[in-house]
Amino acid sequence: MKNGKNKHVLVAGGAGFLGSHLCDALLSEGAHVTALDNFQTGRKQNLRHLEREPRFDLVDSDIIKPLPARLRSKRVKFDEIYNLACAASPPHYQADPEHTMLTSVVGTHNLLTFAEGIGARFFLASTSEIYGDPEVHPQTESYWGNVNPTGPRACYDEGKRAAETLTFDFDRSGRADVRVARIFNTYGPRMRADDGRVVSNVICQALAGEDITIYGDGSQTRSFCYVSDLVDGFLRLMAYQGPFPGAVNLGNPVELTVGDLADKVLAMTDSSSRLVTRPLPVDDPRRRRPDITRAKQLLGWSPRTSLDVGLKATIAWFSDERSHDGKSNRTVPALASAVTMG
């Protein structure tokens, strides 16, 4: 594996929340980065600060289609390919479920065959959603999950499970060197206000003084990982050189109820918003917490950013977005893009 300025890296989904932070981290290491995105949920404003960066390129394309000729050109041989290209929040991936499934299956296959052809290491951004509404707690990588294969979330849940199948089959047949991260709830600057995730919902409603919507009775739990910690895990997993690790959970093992999160945000924003309850969505997980033993042992990785510190930076970012009517070209808080590898 090449290091720093010698690497050429392709980030599919590079204009998204996670993808844009990953691009920043790779560039800070000295890599040459090409971001590919169809802008279904990614936003060009997430990468606007990189417009004059000579080591960065942005390609508008959809991974379910044949990859653009400029990527397949022999002028550039990518050393690493990160596949983060898929709508990841329920409102977005359910808006076009067919495209969601095709992105996970056809798109992943396209990128895997590309990685095979050029000898690049391939990274799949999978998800804790492959565990479904888990009957095992906390969730370990050996747990097969409890997923409804015909429900409204299946396009994403089963799509990612199929993407993992393809990825591991390429590994077993010796066709590609692969890494698979199962991502648990992540938050931070550059989240979309309309993504339907609990952190963005609660913060945006609190800042606007609107009623805060709690689905169910608020007792369901989530584990929230700050974006810079997660990206650190991505880089460590991609660089890992030991025996094949299999899937690796990346997330914060500190478990919190949705109701407690809402109370914390209300206090931090000094908001007068009221909590109102709505029915729990179909197949919404009741509990979610990663077992990160494998990540600790293989990668020396665990989250470092406390929820209070991460929420403070995220609230500041959303507040700035509101004050600039979503058109700001300001610098993202340093914590959001800083990645420590120590």
Side-chain angles (χ1 to χ4, degrees):
M1 295 292 293
K2 295 180 181 178
N3 295 313
K5 63 182 180 180
N6 297 316
K7 288 195 305 186
H8 285 83
V9 184
L10 175 64
V11 180
F17 162 49
L18 297 181
S20 62
H21 285 287
L22 176 59
C23 289
D24 285 345
L26 290 164
L27 287 165
S28 72
E29 289 187 333
H32 296 260
V33 178
T34 298
L36 184 152
D37 209 294
N38 68 349
F39 302 101
Q40 181 186 35
T41 57
R43 298 186 294 179
K44 291 183 178 179
Q45 67 194 62
N46 288 340
L47 300 172
R48 192 167 294 146
H49 61 291
L50 301 178
E51 287 178 347
R52 297 186 179 181
E53 169 56 60
R55 290 180 289 110
F56 178 75
D57 190 23
L58 178 60
V59 178
D60 186 345
S61 186
D62 192 320
I63 63 169
I64 71 173
K65 299 177 181 178
L67 295 177
R70 61 190 288 194
L71 295 185
R72 293 182 278 109
S73 168
K74 293 184 179 180
R75 290 179 302 162
V76 176
K77 182 181 178 182
F78 294 103
D79 302 292
E80 299 174 353
I81 297 174
Y82 286 85
N83 182 12
L84 279 66
C86 189
S89 70
H92 291 160
Y93 67 64
Q94 291 175 23
D96 190 347
E98 179 184 5
H99 188 271
T100 298
M101 177 64 80
L102 291 174
T103 299
S104 289
V105 179
V106 176
T108 296
H109 185 261
N110 284 342
L111 291 175
L112 277 166
T113 55
F114 184 46
E116 177 188 16
I118 62 176
R121 178 171 288 179
F122 177 83
F123 180 105
L124 175 67
S126 187
T127 173
S128 60
E129 295 295 331
I130 66 104
Y131 299 121
D133 188 6
E135 297 175 336
V136 171
H137 193 79
Q139 292 78 60
T140 64
E141 291 90 348
S142 62
Y143 176 49
W144 289 359
N146 176 40
V147 174
N148 177 356
T150 61
R153 301 170 72 103
C155 60
Y156 185 69
D157 301 1
E158 296 288 30
K160 286 293 189 178
R161 287 163 71 94
E164 285 199 15
T165 300
L166 280 167
T167 302
F168 289 124
D169 282 341
F170 266 68
D171 172 76
R172 277 187 286 268
S173 61
R175 298 175 62 184
D177 182 17
V178 306
R179 301 289 183 266
V180 175
R182 291 178 180 165
I183 303 168
F184 284 69
N185 292 71
T186 305
Y187 71 100
R190 300 184 194 159
M191 295 182 79
R192 287 181 54 147
D194 64 349
D195 67 8
R197 291 185 172 98
V198 61
V199 171
S200 51
N201 278 355
V202 171
I203 290 176
C204 290
Q205 289 171 337
L207 291 174
E210 300 171 351
D211 289 345
I212 293 178
T213 306
I214 300 294
Y215 293 97
D217 61 5
S219 64
Q220 66 271 32
T221 67
R222 297 292 184 267
S223 304
F224 301 102
C225 185
Y226 191 68
V227 62
S228 63
D229 289 332
L230 186 77
V231 170
D232 179 22
F234 285 1
L235 298 178
R236 289 171 183 254
L237 180 55
M238 180 63 100
Y240 173 73
Q241 297 286 60
F244 182 61
V248 177
N249 286 340
L250 294 178
N252 194 324
V254 178
E255 191 175 6
L256 188 74
T257 69
V258 170
D260 286 344
L261 173 73
D263 289 339
K264 183 178 285 289
V265 170
L266 281 171
M268 294 180 73
T269 57
D270 195 26
S271 174
S272 59
S273 296
R274 300 179 304 121
L275 301 184
V276 297
T277 60
R278 297 286 185 270
L280 199 65
V282 175
D283 299 328
D284 194 66
R286 293 160 296 175
R287 300 188 72 184
R288 183 62 59 75
R289 176 162 69 93
D291 182 316
I292 62 169
T293 301
R294 183 175 293 180
K296 287 181 177 179
Q297 293 176 342
L298 298 183
L299 311 178
W301 179 87
S302 60
R304 299 179 178 184
T305 307
S306 71
L307 184 62
D308 284 352
V309 171
L311 284 178
K312 182 178 180 181
T314 309
I315 289 168
W317 187 84
F318 274 116
S319 179
D320 191 45
E321 284 282 282
R322 281 175 51 81
S323 67
H324 290 81
D325 194 28
K327 298 178 181 178
S328 171
N329 192 27
R330 77 271 168 268
T331 301
V332 173
L335 178 62
S337 56
V339 178
T340 55
M341 296 295 293

